[in-house]
Amino acid sequence: VGGGHAGAELAHSLRKEGFEGRVVLASDEPHVPYQKPPLSKDYLKGGGGEPLLLKAEALYAKMGIELKLGARIAEIDRSGRSVRFEDGESLVYDHLVLATGARNRRPPVPGLDDPAVMELRGLDHCRMILSRAPDLEHVAVVGAGFIGLEMAAFLRGAGKAVDVVEMAGRVMARAVSEPVSDYFLALHRRMGTDIHLNTGVTGVRHEGARAMVDLSDGGALEAGAVLIAAGVVPNVELAREAGLEVGDGIVVDEMLLTSDPAISAIGDCAFFPSPYAGTSVRLESVQNANDQARAVAKRLTGNPAPYTNLPWFWSNQGPARLQIAGLSTGYDETVLRGLPADDKFSVFLYRQGRLIAVESVNASGDHMAARRLIEKGVAVPPEAAADPSTDLKAMAMA
Ligand code: FAD
């Protein structure tokens, strides 16, 4: 269920692993499964057109994958092992995989639910933004997370005035350490974006082609459009209505199985135990969607193993490429390698002396080495991490 990164990868991985039974991939979107990251990056900058597909359209038929587009699954009948599509058709399954992803969160603020408020999650949203962009001079972005900041960079690049309003005291606060937040705050300000920290949106008033955005500090912004980028909520309703256990996502075990052994959940919607976090987490990344899909394909074809892949992530904002290896949950020490002033550096994050995550800015070499170092559990003394002459790659290969 769900033709995003996780669902599409699962269907193809099942074939790669030799599964010969019937595979049906149901997506409620009308589009052949496409890549989401370019929607806030190159696709947007390129002005639209055809999206980058996850797999060529012809490959579905060639691999014997039944791709059902514009087909929303409305209900799961667990006792009958079947799903019902919105149009009434039903389908029996031996195994069901929920790859329903997530949708944008709309905080309960008056006016933020107005259809004129723009958002970005899928291709249709992106095309809507592109169609409105030529007429916009000033955009207010709500939320300084990855998507909000990538959009701010794009809009500034297109010559728009941009304000970003963020409740937290720093940008990307949930995801990165302070030195990286500080670097990106300065970068976006240099690019000309006005970032308002510790500030909430208390209301949006739509007046013709203008939007008045009321702020918690008593101020107001007048913009041509508002873009909401305040995080996502996992699509768990189907699972919940079927009586499956749900927390911050659909609860699965280390094999990615839900509380029903005939149903798995993967990708943005799955709340899974991570050995890197030491607790259950829900991750929103392409790596997580792909690797969980491959793990389930292996399990369903007779090669079960607990899911333990190292999380990694990237985000492009203007001239800066941010890459993250590992999970920073509970870090208690940060070590800087390189200098933010050089626009090329990494932050090594430790928990009780153990390297748990590395955030790199324009430092892909550090990122690639960090992925191996953390995966293998190599001890990296903080002094060695900080010393630019330390050959991290050699340490990782040893
Ligand atoms: P999704 O890709 O969201 O797919 C879920 C699909 O299921 C959707 O098509 C949904 O409509 C469909 N669906 C839901 N319910 C049903 C139903 N009942 N019946 C049928 N279909 C249903 N990650 C990175 O690692 N790096 C990046 O740079 C990055 N950039 C991003 C930029 C943007 C603009 C966005 C939106 C995301 C970005 N991400 C990035 C995150 C990444 O795209 C997601 O983590 C990934 O798409 C998750 O895959 P998924 O298959 O779990 O969910």
Side-chain angles (χ1 to χ4, degrees):
V1 187
H5 283 259
E9 182 59 37
L10 172 75
H12 288 270
S13 289
L14 279 168
R15 290 292 183 236
K16 251 181 260 160
E17 297 296 333
F19 181 71
E20 290 178 350
R22 190 174 176 201
V23 178
V24 181
L25 179 61
S27 174
D28 59 3
E29 293 190 57
H31 313 289
V32 175
Y34 55 88
Q35 299 191 23
K36 290 210 162 69
L39 299 183
S40 52
K41 305 177 185 73
D42 290 351
Y43 178 81
L44 199 58
K45 262 193 259 164
E50 289 308 310
L52 265 181
L53 298 182
L54 286 163
K55 310 279 175 190
E57 186 169 2
L59 211 53
Y60 290 87
K62 193 171 164 210
M63 301 294 268
I65 296 163
E66 294 171 46
L67 180 59
K68 288 183 180 287
L69 298 178
R72 181 169 182 76
I73 289 183
E75 198 181 3
I76 305 170
D77 170 6
R78 284 168 56 195
S79 56
R81 290 214 177 162
S82 70
V83 290
R84 184 177 58 75
F85 287 87
E86 213 163 40
D87 68 2
E89 186 197 340
S90 62
L91 189 69
V92 291
Y93 61 81
D94 290 315
H95 198 86
L96 181 69
V97 183
L98 300 173
T100 50
R103 61 182 180 275
N104 287 325
R105 196 169 74 83
R106 294 241 175 177
V109 168
L112 260 189
D113 52 355
D114 193 283
V117 171
M118 302 189 297
E119 62 173 313
L120 178 57
R121 175 73 197 178
L123 181 59
D124 293 338
H125 294 139
C126 190
R127 287 181 167 157
M128 166 69 78
I129 292 169
L130 281 167
S131 73
R132 287 185 62 184
D135 300 326
L136 298 175
E137 284 175 7
H138 186 175
V139 180
V141 178
V142 182
F146 294 115
I147 305 287
L149 293 180
E150 288 185 4
M151 289 305 293
F154 160 73
L155 291 163
R156 280 302 301 141
K160 318 289 178 190
V162 183
D163 280 270
V164 176
V165 183
E166 169 58 54
M167 292 258 269
R170 58 190 182 91
V171 303
M172 300 182 285
R174 277 192 312 130
V176 301
S177 64
E178 279 185 39
V180 172
S181 282
D182 292 347
Y183 173 82
F184 278 93
L185 176 65
L187 175 76
H188 283 278
R189 286 186 170 156
R190 267 203 316 273
M191 288 193 283
T193 295
D194 221 337
I195 300 192
H196 309 252
L197 297 175
N198 299 305
T199 310
V201 171
T202 54
V204 179
R205 288 169 285 137
H206 300 273
E207 297 168 2
R210 295 181 320 151
M212 296 298 292
V213 182
D214 295 321
L215 304 178
S216 57
D217 63 7
L221 299 168
E222 184 185 335
V226 178
L227 177 94
I228 178 89
V232 299
V233 288
N235 292 323
V236 297
E237 290 72 13
L238 202 55
R240 183 181 285 132
E241 280 155 25
L244 297 174
E245 198 185 334
V246 165
D248 174 30
I250 303 167
V251 174
V252 292
D253 63 14
E254 73 282 2
M255 306 302 284
L256 306 172
L257 270 173
T258 66
S259 44
D260 180 335
I263 306 180
S264 305
I266 55 175
D268 279 18
C269 69
F271 186 59
F272 69 98
S274 163
Y276 293 98
T279 179
S280 279
V281 293
R282 196 177 59 72
L283 297 180
E284 296 152 19
S285 78
V286 167
Q287 169 279 321
N288 185 64
N290 283 339
D291 285 348
Q292 292 195 336
R294 290 172 195 138
V296 168
K298 281 200 158 71
R299 166 162 53 77
L300 294 177
T301 51
N303 290 303
Y307 178 74
T308 58
N309 294 53
L310 179 80
W312 54 266
F313 182 80
W314 78 96
S315 169
N316 300 346
Q317 298 172 30
R321 181 167 175 83
L322 169 66
Q323 290 169 293
I324 303 173
L327 291 181
S328 59
T329 325
Y331 73 89
D332 51 28
E333 185 182 357
T334 58
V335 172
L336 197 60
R337 178 182 171 90
L339 291 175
D342 293 339
D343 296 308
K344 183 178 175 177
F345 67 100
S346 294
V347 179
F348 284 60
L349 302 165
Y350 291 82
R351 184 174 59 217
Q352 293 170 349
R354 187 188 161 93
L355 180 66
I356 54 167
V358 176
E359 300 162 351
S360 303
V361 176
N362 299 327
S364 291
D366 286 0
H367 172 73
M368 293 312 292
R371 272 163 56 174
R372 281 175 171 266
L373 290 167
I374 300 169
E375 217 160 32
K376 289 176 157 184
V378 177
V380 184
E383 319 76 69
D387 180 354
S389 69
T390 302
D391 187 343
L392 294 175
K393 193 172 165 198
M395 272 181 99
M397 301 303 270

